[in-house]
Amino acid sequence: MWHVLLSFSGLVALIQLLFLPFFPESPPYLLLQKEDKAGCLKAMKQLWGEGNYQTEFDDLMKEKAITKGTKIMNVLEVLRERSVYPQLCTMLLLLLSLQLCGLKIFVTANLQESIIPYVSLGVSISELISIIFCSSIIDRFGRRTLLCGGYLLMALILVLLETSLLLSDRFLWLRYCSVILIFLFIIAYGIGP
């Protein structure tokens, strides 16, 4: 019944997708990235109710002043920075340990056991691609847009994945479509949520 659990996460993503447009943007995002002071105060009131949020607003303004002189690093610059090596090693160990999980779906898709390690490696590459891609576009589009798009793509991919797994006994080529859909799901998850 693992496919029911997988479908359940798609249902949760769909519910979040439906309600997300009714929430305001993050106040720090509005002030620090968009430089929208009025929008920031409006979002604070929407999220936290009526009240005086001048202290929080002043804290964000101080943060903006502090970060104004700092340079935002891209992925390659982060990889060259020695101070982040412990965090990078932790992240890589986590990604590698994830490869020991989730192989059941590849067995269920009736893939040959000899190619499952390569498919698992493809999952890792998909995760890496999504991390790099997301870190380069998040400032341009904002978290809200990426969340909405990511959840929408995840819900669509899960419907297609469930369909391809159900029909994989009739059409052998759908087994490989299932693997591609898993890669796309991981990329959509990494870019969005």
Side-chain angles (χ1 to χ4, degrees):
M1 299 294 288
W2 66 266
H3 57 282
V4 174
L5 286 174
L6 186 65
S7 300
F8 180 73
S9 65
L11 178 67
V12 172
L14 185 62
I15 290 169
Q16 290 178 356
L17 177 67
L18 293 175
F19 286 105
L20 194 60
F22 299 106
F23 290 96
E25 286 284 356
S26 162
Y29 171 75
L30 288 170
L31 184 65
L32 301 176
Q33 301 293 327
K34 296 278 190 172
E35 298 185 5
D36 182 7
K37 293 179 183 180
C40 174
L41 288 170
K42 182 181 174 188
M44 284 179 175
K45 289 180 181 178
Q46 270 185 293
L47 289 170
W48 302 327
E50 289 298 323
N52 186 5
Y53 301 109
Q54 193 60 41
T55 306
E56 290 84 359
F57 185 78
D58 291 340
D59 288 343
L60 286 175
M61 289 300 288
K62 287 178 190 174
E63 183 180 341
K64 181 178 179 182
I66 290 170
T67 59
K68 190 169 188 161
T70 59
K71 180 185 173 209
I72 296 175
M73 298 168 59
N74 64 27
V75 176
L76 290 176
E77 291 170 340
V78 170
L79 291 175
R80 290 185 197 129
E81 183 66 37
R82 288 189 174 272
S83 64
V84 298
Y85 281 1
Q87 294 90 340
L88 286 174
C89 288
T90 303
M91 226 170 61
L92 285 173
L93 284 173
L94 178 65
L95 288 174
L96 290 174
S97 66
L98 284 174
Q99 299 318 301
L100 301 174
C101 308
L103 297 178
K104 175 75 174 156
I105 194 166
F106 301 132
V107 174
T108 305
N110 295 324
L111 293 177
Q112 297 173 357
E113 282 191 40
S114 61
I115 66 167
I116 288 179
Y118 298 108
V119 173
S120 184
L121 179 64
V123 169
S124 294
I125 292 170
S126 298
E127 291 169 352
L128 184 63
I129 289 170
S130 67
I131 290 168
I132 292 171
F133 188 65
C134 180
S135 64
S136 63
I137 66 169
I138 194 165
D139 289 333
R140 184 176 303 151
F141 294 105
R143 287 184 173 91
R144 183 179 184 162
T145 304
L146 292 180
L147 279 172
C148 285
Y151 279 130
L152 185 61
L153 278 173
M154 286 169 53
L156 176 67
I157 290 169
L158 285 174
V159 168
L160 293 173
L161 180 61
E162 183 67 24
T163 305
S164 69
L165 288 173
L166 289 174
L167 297 175
S168 65
D169 290 336
R170 292 185 189 167
F171 307 102
L172 296 178
W173 57 270
L174 279 177
R175 296 175 184 175
Y176 299 102
C177 287
S178 299
V179 172
I180 292 169
L181 288 169
I182 291 169
F183 291 166
L184 292 176
F185 179 83
I186 291 168
I187 291 171
Y189 177 79
I191 291 173

